[in-house]
Amino acid sequence: MGQFKSKRGGLDPGVVPNVHISTNDEGPPRYSSHGIPSTIIISDVESSALEGGSKAELQRFSIYSTLDKVPQQGHYANTLPQKQLRARPSLEALRRAFKEAEAGVEVPTTDSGVSSLPDSGTEESKAPPKNAPVRFGWILGVLIRTMLNIWGVILFLRLTLITSQAGIVLTWVIILISVAITTVTGISISAIATNGKVLAGGPYFLVSRSLGPEIGAPIGLILSFANAQASALNAVGFGEVVVTLMQDSGVVIVDYLNNVRLVGVLTIVVLLLISLAGMEWETKAQVVFFVCLMSSFISYIVGTLIPPTQEKQAQGIFGYNSEIFIANLAPNWSGPDGNFFQMFGLFFPAVSGILYGVSICGDLKDPNIAVPKGTLHAIFWTTLSYLVISITSASCVVQNASGNISDFMTGNTTGVCLGQGCQFGWNFTECIVSQSCQHGMANTQKVMGQLSGWYYLIIIGAFAATLSSALGYLVSAPKIFQCLCRDNIYPYIGIFAKGYGKNDEPLRAYGLSFIIAVAFTLIGSLDTIAILNSSLFMCVYTLINFSCFHASFTNAPGWRPQFIYYNKWVSFVGALVSFILMFLLSWWAGLITLIVYILLYLYIYYKKPNVNWGSSIQAGSYNMALSASVALSGVEDHVKNFRPQCLVLTGPPTQRPALVDFVDSFTKHASLMICGDIIMDRQTQPQEATDRLVKWMNKRKVRSFYSPFTADSLRVGARHLLQASGIGKLKPNTLVLGFKSNWRESSPESIEDYVNTINDTFDYKYGLCILRMMEGLDTSDQFDFEVNQGFEPDESAEKVDQQSSEGEPAPTDNMTNEGDSGEMETVFQDDQGKKTIDIYWIADDGGLTLLVPYLLTRRKRWSRCKVRVFIVGEEQNMEESRNEMLALLKRFRLDFNNVTVMTDCEKRPQAKYLDRFVDSVAPFRLYDEPQEGVSVSQNAPWKISDREFEAFKLKSEAKVRLNEIIRRNSKRAALVVVSLPVPHSDCTSALYMAWLDTLTCGLHCPVVLIRGNQEDVLTFYCQ
């Protein structure tokens, strides 16, 4: 058989017939209708005649279904902004498509509503629009631009001075260390740049998408600032060259410093105008600069080979000479700035232009190829040029010379001769002693021009180097800043995000960069700007190398760079060295950079912008959590490390904020909390609803997971959640419920479900907390909600709408308004002042009844509350019981010093309270005698028989009496905690609910019924 393809053959592109074409060569094709997806089988001869444009279209459908698409690039481009994307059909559409196609029903093919049928051709095959933006290849776009950025002001104005101070050996060390850092950074940036499609924004885009906004956004601001500052650095260098020429010509405007400032500012203005003209004009200017630079290099090399004239010898130039070479090998430190790190900081901006290609990646044809290829080639050739110029100049020029021809020594010259010139017949002793030498490597920045074949060609090269670098930095800074502004991470900078023209030029950002560049140009000191610029770029290189290391170290499946010639540990070393050098070059500049970065980082960390870039920080967090969870699984449980890990049956958390806040009050930053939502309908909750609920909890600063579960009843859902929630040791051990306040109006099945959920909790060895708020827990009646009637099909919507317990959950697809529910305050968010927390420790459950209130008092809102403990005792042993309890609490190291012994619990309750209890169970009483041969349990199993009511009469009265005591003692309490009675197997659900209702009624503060699993959660031992 041939390949399965669809053939146009005059058909509508969106329609494929249900035909089967045989490839039998002996006869014409045979057509037959089938109930299978439309396919066409074409012979190899026919398929070879197809055109390329239609071939892509013929492979639209898989062999399974006309809706099922074959893999296409457009399906995976869902992260590209402002694109109408092709979308694959949803699973629901694929599952329903055949039946509804048979019935003639139109089926949407995607969830988003975008048609999944591809266009008649691929994007690549379409004709480019008229005003397509200019795109560059790796040579013109990266190689030349990066080389021009690297060949800047330092090359022509400071390299020979650095060599004179550090000597050939240390100068090479400085160059090689700098290049090692930039090479490692270039490799790291190449790996990051080839790990997916790169849009505009350059290094900021790569670092932020790799490490996330917290780390990437500060780097975007710092890098934009550093580029604008580097533009000022080169403008000042250009100003120095121009002012030197003016001085040689006798032209003086003001003084040297102000002349440099004036020329530098005018230079920035001219370069801004070139930048505003667009990338095409900027590219043409860069090509002209590159030609000038190449010409100056050729002139320099040729000049070193030409025998020096007497005039050049007076300037200290004697051609290649081994004695000069040997003399200049060692360092010759002089002046207050004569040290290795000062020279390193001065030189480093000469290699910091490696990021230019990445900075304009949005203007490249294929950044994945252009960035690594162009950047690494540029580093190699510029490094070679630095090494050659430093060694050739140090082999031809002595340290000090006067430039005076009369210093040539004749045969009868006598006296002391100092300096290297003595070996060549020149006596520069006078200027050396008076430190007034104007020539030689240590005294002038004109060495390259004096060595060259034509002096003014070097001047042209210096102009080209400074202007090209200044222009390059001035162009890249706004583009990086524009991308940062469009991410809307920092406030008040969005106005700079707007782009203009076909190339989306950031004109407003150009204006801001211009202001920054002019401000630094007015400093006028090249060395000061260079040191600060080195620290900024060291910070950037640190983060770039760390990004590559972290992305590789986390082993994220999405880390698949096309550039494979990198090593994560080399990147880590590069990051570490860059960070250390940032302070060694200039501690004050490094400190300022670090402080600014930390402040920018903290702002984003606390703001938490709503972006998700799939960063390696997320992958690292996953790895850390996974490793910690696996490691925790091997740790045995110990009572000292017990913490209540709560599964809270909240339903949609937005509808029971009090229950959420209560549990969050003692689990936040301390233990696990999972909000369980049992959805009692057949439809699965959409992901959007889940996301909204999680967002609501995050906005409320609740540290909890959210776990929806579809079930037929509360008990079934709770049983599954009790067994399946959590992972490893991070599993709940305590269930938290809301009290079923509408139990009297609920159906018998609903009450039975609620009480059986409590029984199941104890079966699974869980602790249990039940919270009762007098105003109820459910807030859905305050908002416009539709009620989920799946749990109570026999009740009216009005009744269900008033339900407040998890037993009757509210709907999951209609949540409260975020603006209201997110700000809705509950009593657990208020400062409780100096109220009391009253604990009625009626039964020993292992200590959970004490532990939960203690954890509450560790919160600021509850810290001033006084904890009172009430226990049951006999009057004759009251003081002894009190002292025993105080001793136990002290050994538990709980600061609970108020213990009250209740000696009147066995008294008969007041008649009015007892009558209330009897009235509450009256609807569930079975007064009639059982019929002959039929047991009560068979007739109405949920009813309370007279025999059962009498059997539990004393227990019922005890609950009523305890409620009297609680209401008498805890009128002004902030919270009341009572030991939960365990349900008896022979006690009906209605009677048990009446007990819980009786225990907790009549109080105006929250009441919590707590029962541990009868295992110790407190200990007074150290082991």
Side-chain angles (χ1 to χ4, degrees):
M1 294 177 64
Q3 292 182 341
F4 287 88
K5 301 177 182 178
S6 62
K7 188 172 182 180
R8 293 185 70 174
L11 294 174
D12 185 275
V15 180
V16 179
N18 287 323
V19 296
H20 183 84
I21 307 180
S22 173
T23 57
N24 191 340
D25 295 333
E26 297 179 1
R30 300 187 303 274
Y31 297 79
S32 61
S33 177
H34 294 281
I36 60 172
S38 306
T39 59
I40 300 178
I41 305 173
I42 305 175
S43 66
D44 294 336
V45 176
E46 291 172 312
S47 63
S48 64
L50 294 174
E51 296 294 334
S54 61
K55 187 174 182 179
E57 189 182 25
L58 292 173
Q59 298 176 347
R60 292 180 299 178
F61 307 124
S62 75
I63 62 175
Y64 300 132
S65 168
T66 55
L67 285 178
D68 217 355
K69 301 297 181 293
V70 297
Q72 299 179 40
Q73 179 179 339
H75 295 165
Y76 296 88
N78 58 355
T79 58
L80 294 178
Q82 299 176 352
K83 298 275 187 181
Q84 176 143 10
L85 307 173
R86 300 172 182 171
R88 63 179 67 86
S90 65
L91 285 174
E92 182 182 2
L94 289 174
R95 293 163 66 188
R96 297 188 310 181
F98 185 75
K99 291 183 179 180
E100 299 194 3
E102 290 288 318
V105 179
E106 183 179 354
V107 181
T109 57
T110 64
D111 292 328
S112 60
V114 180
S115 174
S116 63
L117 292 176
D119 302 328
S120 58
T122 61
E123 291 180 7
E124 291 77 3
S125 64
K126 293 180 180 179
K130 275 187 178 181
N131 294 326
V134 180
R135 295 287 184 257
F136 306 103
W138 75 274
I139 295 179
L140 196 58
V142 180
L143 177 62
I144 292 179
R145 294 169 184 269
T146 305
M147 291 174 70
L148 288 172
N149 246 28
I150 295 174
W151 284 327
V153 61
I154 303 300
L155 171 65
F156 288 95
L157 300 186
R158 293 294 186 269
L159 182 58
T160 54
L161 292 174
I162 292 171
T163 306
S164 70
Q165 291 256 10
I168 297 174
V169 175
L170 288 184
T171 299
W172 274 43
V173 171
I174 289 173
I175 294 173
L176 293 177
I177 291 177
S178 302
V179 170
I181 293 174
T182 57
T183 301
V184 171
T185 306
I187 291 173
S188 299
I189 204 73
S190 298
I192 300 173
T194 57
N195 189 51
K197 186 174 179 60
V198 181
L199 302 179
Y204 158 69
F205 182 87
L206 298 176
V207 174
S208 61
R209 271 56 177 179
S210 178
L211 288 179
E214 294 89 353
I215 296 177
I219 285 300
L221 273 179
I222 291 176
L223 184 58
S224 301
F225 188 81
N227 280 348
Q229 186 195 57
S231 181
L233 173 71
N234 285 277
V236 170
F238 177 79
E240 286 192 3
V241 176
V242 172
V243 171
T244 301
L245 287 175
M246 293 168 58
Q247 288 179 340
D248 293 343
S249 304
V251 178
V252 178
I253 302 177
V254 194
D255 55 73
Y256 181 83
L257 181 60
N258 286 314
N259 286 344
V260 171
R261 291 170 175 169
L262 179 61
V263 174
V265 170
L266 291 176
T267 303
I268 294 293
V269 172
V270 173
L271 294 179
L272 176 65
L273 296 177
I274 296 176
S275 302
L276 295 178
M279 288 297 293
E280 294 183 57
W281 284 95
E282 187 262 349
T283 303
K284 293 175 182 177
Q286 296 284 31
V287 172
V288 174
F289 292 149
F290 185 77
V291 172
C292 294
L293 269 171
M294 291 297 102
S295 302
S296 65
F297 286 150
I298 294 173
S299 175
Y300 172 80
I301 297 298
V302 171
T304 60
L305 300 174
I306 299 175
T309 62
Q310 190 175 20
E311 183 181 353
K312 285 193 174 184
Q313 288 181 2
Q315 296 171 350
I317 300 172
F318 297 99
Y320 290 106
N321 189 285
S322 60
E323 294 180 358
I324 298 177
F325 173 76
I326 294 172
N328 287 333
L329 280 175
N332 183 30
W333 307 118
S334 62
D337 296 332
N339 60 76
F340 178 83
F341 290 108
Q342 194 73 19
M343 293 300 106
F344 188 97
L346 184 58
F347 173 79
F348 191 79
V351 296
S352 61
I354 63 167
L355 299 179
Y356 184 77
V358 187
S359 299
I360 63 164
C361 55
D363 297 307
L364 300 176
K365 292 179 181 177
D366 190 353
N368 289 342
I369 295 176
V371 169
K373 196 172 182 180
T375 301
L376 296 179
H377 275 80
I379 291 174
F380 173 77
W381 290 112
T382 53
T383 302
L384 185 62
S385 67
Y386 285 133
L387 295 174
V388 169
I389 291 174
S390 62
I391 195 172
T392 53
S393 62
S395 300
C396 298
V397 186
V398 297
Q399 289 283 338
N400 297 287
S402 64
N404 191 349
I405 299 179
S406 62
D407 287 337
F408 180 73
M409 292 189 299
T410 59
N412 58 357
T413 303
T414 59
V416 179
C417 183
L418 301 177
Q420 301 171 4
C422 301
Q423 304 171 22
F424 306 100
W426 291 82
N427 188 356
F428 302 128
T429 304
E430 182 179 350
C431 76
I432 293 175
V433 172
S434 63
Q435 296 184 354
S436 60
C437 294
Q438 300 296 319
H439 296 275
M441 289 186 63
N443 304 298
T444 180
Q445 58 191 23
K446 303 177 183 178
V447 171
M448 284 190 65
Q450 294 169 346
L451 268 174
S452 67
W454 186 38
Y455 176 80
Y456 289 102
L457 198 54
I458 293 296
I459 296 298
I460 294 174
F463 284 174
T466 53
L467 291 176
S468 63
S469 296
L471 179 60
Y473 285 119
L474 194 61
V475 168
S476 60
K479 291 184 177 293
I480 296 172
F481 191 63
Q482 181 189 38
C483 183
L484 174 64
C485 295
R486 285 180 172 174
D487 286 335
N488 197 26
I489 295 176
Y490 291 111
Y492 313 121
I493 61 174
I495 59 173
F496 298 103
K498 185 174 177 59
Y500 298 86
K502 62 182 180 180
N503 271 32
D504 196 29
E505 297 291 345
L507 300 186
R508 296 177 181 178
Y510 273 124
L512 181 61
S513 299
F514 170 76
I515 294 173
I516 296 173
V518 168
F520 277 94
T521 302
L522 293 176
I523 295 176
S525 173
L526 182 67
D527 296 353
T528 303
I529 301 174
I531 293 295
L532 183 56
N533 192 253
S534 296
S535 292
L536 292 174
F537 274 104
M538 282 296 182
C539 181
V540 173
Y541 292 168
T542 298
L543 269 298
I544 290 175
N545 285 305
F546 184 76
S547 298
C548 181
F549 162 76
H550 196 270
S552 180
F553 184 77
T554 54
N555 290 321
W559 175 250
R560 301 184 301 274
Q562 295 179 3
F563 183 84
I564 61 174
Y565 304 104
Y566 72 95
N567 183 276
K568 60 185 176 184
W569 296 113
V570 172
S571 297
F572 177 76
V573 171
L576 186 62
V577 171
S578 299
F579 182 77
I580 295 173
L581 287 175
M582 182 173 71
F583 292 95
L584 292 179
L585 298 182
S586 174
W587 67 267
W588 61 268
L591 186 61
I592 291 174
T593 303
L594 185 62
I595 291 174
V596 170
Y597 176 83
I598 291 175
L599 292 176
L600 293 172
Y601 171 85
L602 290 177
Y603 174 82
I604 300 177
Y605 180 80
Y606 287 105
K607 181 190 175 186
K608 298 191 182 303
N610 187 24
V611 294
N612 183 12
W613 294 329
S615 67
S616 62
I617 294 294
Q618 295 173 336
S621 300
Y622 174 84
N623 285 349
M624 291 174 61
L626 183 62
S627 299
S629 299
V630 173
L632 190 62
S633 299
V635 178
E636 294 185 8
D637 293 329
H638 194 285
V639 63
K640 287 198 302 182
N641 294 325
F642 176 87
R643 55 192 70 202
Q645 302 187 138
C646 298
L647 170 62
V648 192
L649 297 188
T650 59
T654 52
Q655 297 180 24
R656 293 177 180 85
L659 188 59
V660 173
D661 291 339
F662 164 65
V663 180
D664 183 63
S665 296
F666 64 86
T667 61
K668 192 172 186 177
H669 302 296
S671 59
L672 176 70
M673 176 180 175
I674 301 176
C675 290
D677 183 4
I678 301 172
I679 306 169
M680 282 176 271
D681 55 38
R682 295 294 182 182
Q683 293 187 351
T684 304
Q685 177 169 271
Q687 184 62 38
E688 292 79 5
T690 299
D691 293 340
R692 286 197 299 271
L693 290 170
V694 172
K695 184 178 179 180
W696 179 87
M697 289 193 295
N698 292 336
K699 183 178 180 181
R700 205 174 180 86
K701 297 182 180 180
V702 173
R703 296 174 65 91
S704 173
F705 297 98
Y706 172 69
S707 180
F709 191 87
T710 303
D712 294 331
S713 67
L714 168 68
R715 184 185 184 187
V716 173
R719 289 179 65 179
H720 284 94
L721 287 174
L722 286 168
Q723 296 178 79
S725 295
I727 180 172
K729 297 291 184 180
L730 294 176
K731 292 179 69 68
N733 53 32
T734 305
L735 180 69
V736 182
L737 287 170
F739 179 70
K740 191 176 180 63
S741 58
N742 64 334
W743 66 276
R744 295 185 189 87
E745 295 82 24
S746 298
S747 64
E749 293 83 1
S750 175
I751 301 174
E752 192 78 14
D753 238 18
Y754 186 84
V755 176
N756 283 334
T757 299
I758 296 176
N759 286 314
D760 292 337
T761 302
F762 295 134
D763 288 342
Y764 294 122
K765 303 297 182 182
Y766 273 60
L768 179 65
C769 296
I770 299 178
L771 173 66
R772 181 172 189 179
M773 307 285 290
M774 291 305 105
E775 67 274 15
L777 290 171
D778 199 334
T779 62
S780 60
D781 57 344
Q782 304 175 28
F783 303 93
D784 184 16
F785 281 112
E786 295 180 6
V787 178
N788 182 356
Q789 302 185 34
F791 183 72
E792 293 287 352
D794 57 334
E795 292 186 0
S796 65
E798 289 78 8
K799 286 185 179 181
V800 179
D801 192 34
Q802 298 172 359
Q803 293 168 351
S804 60
S805 71
E806 176 61 28
E808 276 80 33
T812 60
D813 54 345
N814 291 283
M815 278 153 283
T816 57
N817 180 272
E818 286 183 10
D820 295 328
S821 63
E823 301 298 329
M824 182 185 299
E825 291 191 1
T826 64
V827 65
F828 299 102
Q829 292 181 312
D830 297 334
D831 191 328
Q832 301 302 318
K834 295 184 178 181
K835 297 179 182 179
T836 62
I837 298 177
D838 293 347
I839 305 173
Y840 291 85
W841 199 12
I842 309 302
D844 188 355
D845 59 348
L848 186 63
T849 308
L850 293 177
L851 182 60
V852 170
Y854 166 73
L855 294 175
L856 274 175
T857 59
R858 294 170 62 177
R859 305 290 295 175
K860 184 178 179 181
R861 297 186 180 97
W862 297 82
S863 60
R864 294 189 294 164
C865 289
K866 181 180 179 181
V867 178
R868 302 189 298 177
V869 180
F870 296 84
I871 59 174
V872 177
E874 298 178 355
E875 188 171 356
Q876 60 269 26
N877 299 324
M878 182 175 64
E879 194 63 29
E880 182 180 352
S881 299
R882 181 177 180 276
N883 292 333
E884 287 181 358
M885 179 55 62
L886 284 172
L888 179 62
L889 294 175
K890 184 176 181 181
R891 298 191 70 179
F892 282 152
R893 303 174 302 283
L894 299 173
D895 191 20
F896 300 165
N897 301 316
N898 191 315
V899 175
T900 301
V901 181
M902 299 180 295
T903 60
D904 54 351
C905 292
E906 295 183 358
K907 290 184 179 180
R908 184 173 175 81
Q910 297 182 31
K912 62 178 180 178
Y913 296 124
L914 191 59
D915 291 343
R916 179 191 177 279
F917 171 78
V918 173
D919 291 341
S920 67
V921 297
F924 301 93
R925 294 283 301 275
L926 186 64
Y927 298 100
D928 298 333
E929 293 293 330
Q931 299 177 5
E932 185 177 356
V934 180
S935 67
V936 173
S937 59
Q938 290 177 333
N939 190 24
W942 59 87
K943 293 284 187 179
I944 306 171
S945 66
D946 291 338
R947 184 186 310 169
E948 182 182 1
F949 188 78
E950 288 297 323
F952 289 105
K953 183 177 181 180
L954 292 179
K955 292 183 180 296
S956 300
E957 291 180 354
K959 308 297 189 301
V960 177
R961 176 58 184 164
L962 181 57
N963 176 254
E964 291 181 8
I965 297 172
I966 294 174
R967 289 199 287 184
R968 182 184 64 205
N969 294 326
S970 303
K971 292 180 180 179
R972 295 177 176 85
L975 179 71
V976 173
V977 179
V978 186
S979 294
L980 173 75
V982 177
H984 299 277
S985 58
D986 54 350
C987 176
T988 61
S989 299
L991 181 59
Y992 182 72
M993 287 301 303
W995 287 353
L996 300 186
D997 188 20
T998 299
L999 272 176
T1000 57
C1001 71
L1003 293 172
H1004 298 287
C1005 65
V1007 183
V1008 185
L1009 298 169
I1010 300 181
R1011 170 68 71 159
N1013 62 358
Q1014 303 303 108
E1015 296 181 3
D1016 291 346
V1017 300
L1018 294 174
T1019 181
F1020 42 76
Y1021 293 110
C1022 295
Q1023 61 183 18

